[in-house]
Amino acid sequence: MRRHLLVLTLILGFVSVAAKPPSPPGQGKPPPTTTTTTAPTTTTSTSTTTTVPPPPGDLCPTGSATNKIGFANGYRYGQLSTADRVRYMDEFAATGAKWFRMNLEDWSLAEAQDVIAKARERGFCVIGNLNANPSGTHWANPPDHQAWADAAVNTFVTPLVNDVTVWEIWNEPNINGFFNGNSDQYADLLHTAYVTIHQAQPWAVVATAGLAPVGNGTDPNNAVPYWTRVYAWNAKQGRQGSDQLFDAMSHHAYLYPQDPTDPANDQDWSGFYQAKLIHDLMVSQGDGAKKVWGTETGAPSGCTYAQCITVAEAARRLPLVMQRWNVEWGDFTGPLMWHELQEQPGVTGIEHYFGFIRGDWSHKEPLWTAYHDYATR
């Protein structure tokens, strides 16, 4: 009963994301590929990981959402051996994190089921990030939005219907490397996915993609102008606000090397502060009750690039970032997920330095401890 009350509390407090600096510092993950794929990694299965339906409105059927902090998994998990996947999930659980953003760009149901099984064993929550194309150009506006939505439902939503409640649609569609369409085309994809997912899973929480931090408020691909156009597109279809569009707003809350907790940086070019500006827009559209989920945040640390910060500074900022997200903005925010748990060996440049654990599994201290102490307090 206590768990169900907690779940209800989290639903009311979550159903949600944040941004990078004025000039993009490099993505918070390796840059997207433009490779062509010919088929999903695995064939679609009709079996579910569990046959036990979750309680109504349960955002976390695999565990207990006792906090609002997690990690966004990039490519790392799919690179690991069977033994190292166990170690990775043990390290994840040891941090105290409760939210795992599962990257599904490889279209592998087997990998997703592996994540789900390990999440259940360790009691944490999984968000499914549906993105990329199962065939053809990997990162591109899908040529047929209904076909893409059908494939996503058949490959992931239906097999995992009792395991995953929250589905995030695409990744950073405001930059051409991930989505070579405009905001109207993304709005149509989001709407199509929303309707198709809800037909298969009526209790689903469909979240928008998190946008990359781009420019200031005069840049058309900045989060606020972008979502303003998405709302306008939906209105042209005869719908109010986010009706048949989204249940939660995702955001990528990056700001570095500037301090996202410094009030001087509360500007429209701050990817972190954009979380508040986006919610202000949502309020103006009648969506004030819906939440902003931070599906990525973080900063490169322990490197010599101009936009890197020291590991000690990253550790100092982390609890302040979480305090601002959960307390100052707690009325309108969902979980905040840090990119990412482990640094990826072989990734060159600044993208290699966002982790809390190095490629050799050593902890980046004092950053790892700062995360653990906040998550387990």
Side-chain angles (χ1 to χ4, degrees):
M1 182 62 178
R2 288 175 59 87
R3 179 172 181 272
H4 291 170
L5 288 173
L6 175 61
V7 168
L8 178 58
T9 301
L10 290 167
I11 293 166
L12 296 174
F14 285 178
V15 182
S16 19
V17 192
K20 301 173 198 173
S23 299
Q27 306 306 320
K29 64 175 80 63
T33 64
T34 55
T35 57
T36 298
T37 55
T38 56
T41 307
T42 61
T43 57
T44 301
S45 169
T46 57
S47 64
T48 55
T49 305
T50 178
T51 58
V52 180
D58 191 349
L59 297 180
C60 184
T62 55
S64 180
T66 53
N67 62 31
K68 290 169 57 179
I69 187 169
F71 285 104
N73 175 55
Y75 302 92
R76 186 64 180 130
Y77 191 81
Q79 299 170 337
L80 297 172
S81 67
T82 299
D84 280 346
R85 287 185 178 189
V86 174
R87 185 173 185 178
Y88 184 95
M89 290 304 202
D90 286 344
E91 289 282 2
F92 182 101
T95 67
K98 283 295 183 181
W99 292 91
F100 185 97
R101 180 186 184 234
M102 176 171 59
N103 178 16
L104 298 172
E105 73 167 275
D106 286 338
W107 286 76
S108 170
L109 176 59
E111 182 178 315
Q113 289 174 323
D114 181 55
V115 169
I116 294 297
K118 289 178 171 59
R120 282 193 180 278
E121 290 172 355
R122 294 159 181 81
F124 57 80
C125 316
V126 178
I127 294 170
N129 180 210
L130 301 167
N131 60 65
N133 287 298
S135 61
T137 303
H138 192 62
W139 288 111
N141 176 23
D144 184 328
H145 290 175
Q146 188 60 62
W148 183 88
D150 289 341
V153 166
N154 291 335
T155 304
F156 296 115
V157 178
T158 298
L160 303 176
V161 69
N162 296 323
D163 306 297
V164 177
T165 299
V166 183
W167 302 98
E168 182 184 9
I169 310 303
W170 213 263
N171 180 72
E172 299 185 349
N174 61 328
I175 56 177
N176 192 62
F178 284 115
F179 188 82
N180 60 353
N182 59 34
S183 56
D184 283 2
Q185 290 170 315
Y186 174 70
D188 183 75
L189 176 67
L190 180 61
H191 165 70
T192 305
Y194 180 97
V195 172
T196 307
I197 290 171
H198 275 281
Q199 287 172 345
Q201 188 185 35
W203 62 90
V205 172
V206 175
T208 71
L211 299 187
V214 174
N216 60 27
T218 65
D219 190 310
N221 286 321
N222 179 274
V224 174
Y226 190 95
W227 292 124
T228 299
R229 294 196 303 276
V230 169
Y231 270 116
W233 177 90
N234 209 38
K236 290 177 183 177
Q237 317 311 310
R239 295 184 289 268
Q240 293 185 338
S242 60
D243 180 39
Q244 297 184 48
L245 201 60
F246 64 83
D247 302 308
M249 175 72 76
S250 295
H251 183 60
H252 288 180
Y254 290 103
L255 181 64
Y256 55 84
Q258 300 95 328
D259 184 350
T261 67
D262 184 345
N265 294 324
D266 288 352
Q267 308 292 334
D268 58 10
W269 47 256
S270 165
F272 189 79
Y273 189 66
Q274 283 166 17
K276 181 183 183 302
L277 299 180
I278 290 168
H279 190 257
D280 289 344
L281 171 65
M282 293 165 64
V283 170
S284 75
Q285 297 291 326
D287 284 334
K290 295 187 178 182
K291 305 302 178 182
V292 179
W293 290 51
T295 52
E296 287 186 28
T297 192
S301 64
C303 45
T304 58
Y305 295 95
Q307 292 174 321
C308 289
I309 60 176
T310 67
V311 177
E313 175 63 10
R316 184 194 71 81
R317 291 182 187 182
L318 187 143
L320 301 178
V321 167
M322 292 306 306
Q323 179 77 3
R324 190 166 203 198
W325 188 267
N326 286 337
V327 178
E328 182 179 342
W329 295 346
D331 289 344
F332 66 85
T333 56
L336 183 61
M337 282 150 274
W338 293 75
H339 181 82
E340 65 182 313
L341 176 62
Q342 186 178 33
E343 294 173 347
Q344 302 175 55
V347 176
T348 58
I350 198 172
E351 311 300 345
H352 179 68
Y353 294 95
F354 282 76
F356 290 68
I357 298 173
R358 299 181 182 89
D360 65 2
W361 300 96
S362 62
H363 293 177
K364 287 174 73 172
E365 293 292 5
L367 180 57
W368 189 95
T369 294
Y371 188 106
H372 171 268
D373 288 351
Y374 185 89
T376 59
R377 64 181 187 160

